[in-house]
Amino acid sequence: MNVDSQHYGKKMFFDILTLFPAMFSGVFSDSIISRAIKKGLISVDLHDIRSYSDDERHKTVDDYPYGGDAGMVLKPEPLARAITDARSRFCDFAPKVIYLSPRGEVLRQEIIEELLEEKALILLCGRYKGIDERICERYVDREISIGDYVLSGGEIAAMTIIDAMARLIPGVLGNRESAEADSFYRGLLSHPEYTRPEIFEDMKVPDVLLSGHHANILRWQREKAVEITKLRRPDLWAKYKTTETNNEK
Ligand code: 4GX
């Protein structure tokens, strides 16, 4: 998939539904995401789920679970209204709704690339024991987990997705951070990197990197990438070996 041609001259829209919109201010006012927003390459809109509650007085958005377990569940009506409102911003198409949850498919770079084909995404961040299942059934298009551990809410998972996507949008990264050479693009982990000084404590930079011999350097980097991938991520190595297109690079 060619991210460049797809996103050329386009803007990607993210609508985030959360009970904690303030959690996003640091991430979006700093870092590459703010730069992407300033450049008009992405647009991020926060929707406070609490503002869609039924009662003006207590702004209730959660309730006890049927079945009598401990903890709270996000009520369906405020979520349905928040999703409908976020969708109404787009008149000519219906953006996909993504629910961040440990129950979802585990995030991989390929999923990030798939999501880049969308013009807009609605990211639903749950809290407590999660959301009423009927919202998943009727309103959610895709459930994604960022990993097999339990967060206190979907917010950090939503930030993770936006960050990983933003850096692949052409024009977002500067010279200091090129996406091309990153791990996973070649299906291998990255080779070790060194910078000055040539000797740090008693450790020397490998001679080949100082040799100026470009072909040898490339060969060394490839060998190291293979070695590290085999050792640390046998799963990635197995996949790499069966992916023909990688073997030319
Ligand atoms: N990758 N969380 C969702 C609420 C919840 C609880 C149970 C469904 C079932 C997470 C993750 C994650 C914490 C977000 C629990 N939803 N999100 N939340 N791992 O741990 O994305």
Side-chain angles (χ1 to χ4, degrees):
M1 193 229 340
N2 188 343
V3 168
D4 285 78
S5 64
Q6 235 157 44
H7 267 274
Y8 195 76
K10 283 193 200 163
K11 187 176 191 173
M12 173 101 208
F13 294 86
F14 297 97
D15 281 75
I16 302 167
L17 314 187
T18 172
L19 283 171
F20 298 92
M23 278 182 76
F24 293 85
S25 57
V27 173
F28 295 157
S29 65
D30 199 58
S31 87
I32 67 154
I33 294 175
S34 69
R35 213 164 59 208
I37 295 169
K38 281 188 205 119
K39 286 188 185 174
L41 297 168
I42 68 172
S43 162
V44 181
D45 283 80
L46 290 157
H47 305 260
D48 189 343
I49 295 168
R50 208 167 285 285
S51 69
Y52 296 92
S53 74
D54 285 307
D55 64 315
E56 268 303 306
R57 253 165 72 82
H58 299 102
K59 302 242 182 271
T60 311
V61 289
D62 57 353
D63 206 342
Y64 299 100
Y66 278 114
D69 292 340
M72 299 300 272
V73 174
L74 291 181
K75 291 164 64 62
E77 307 95 316
L79 293 176
R81 280 195 288 270
I83 293 168
T84 303
D85 192 36
R87 273 193 177 137
S88 71
R89 300 209 306 134
F90 308 95
C91 36
D92 49 339
F93 71 103
K96 289 218 165 81
V97 176
I98 296 184
Y99 178 52
L100 292 315
S101 136
R103 236 170 48 164
E105 52 185 326
V106 179
L107 190 60
R108 287 169 288 115
Q109 192 66 23
E110 290 84 62
I111 296 179
I112 295 296
E113 286 168 24
E114 264 173 52
L115 295 177
L116 278 166
E117 295 186 44
E118 306 295 328
K119 281 189 273 184
L121 290 178
I122 295 172
L123 299 164
L124 174 56
C125 306
R127 282 265 154 181
Y128 320 121
K129 287 169 69 78
I131 63 178
D132 189 290
E133 185 65 20
R134 291 165 292 186
I135 291 296
C136 296
E137 229 176 274
R138 183 150 301 167
Y139 288 87
V140 171
D141 296 293
R142 195 164 182 177
E143 251 181 88
I144 295 176
S145 164
I146 63 161
D148 294 335
Y149 36 78
V150 182
L151 302 169
S152 357
E155 286 79 8
I156 290 172
M159 291 174 202
T160 302
I161 289 179
I162 295 174
D163 185 88
M165 286 178 69
R167 61 193 299 291
L168 295 184
I169 296 172
V172 169
L173 291 190
N175 292 332
R176 278 174 171 264
E177 329 106 333
S178 151
E180 290 309 312
D182 286 341
S183 304
F184 302 121
Y185 273 87
R186 300 155 302 165
L188 294 174
L189 298 177
S190 3
H191 53 76
E193 301 284 359
Y194 297 87
T195 184
R196 288 186 289 183
E198 225 175 282
I199 300 170
F200 166 67
E201 297 184 349
D202 56 344
M203 297 174 286
K204 199 178 174 306
V205 173
D207 285 331
V208 63
L209 297 180
L210 309 172
S211 70
H213 193 302
H214 190 58
N216 283 353
I217 292 171
L218 283 179
R219 192 176 324 116
W220 180 88
Q221 288 178 334
R222 220 197 115 74
E223 278 165 16
K224 285 290 171 187
V226 168
E227 189 184 307
I228 289 173
T229 307
K230 276 182 182 172
L231 193 68
R232 299 194 189 177
R233 293 293 303 276
D235 58 322
L236 283 184
W237 175 245
K239 199 165 134 198
Y240 177 81
K241 280 191 299 187
T242 59
T243 311
E244 262 176 64
T245 52
N246 285 328
N247 299 334
E248 305 138 27
K249 291 176 204 163

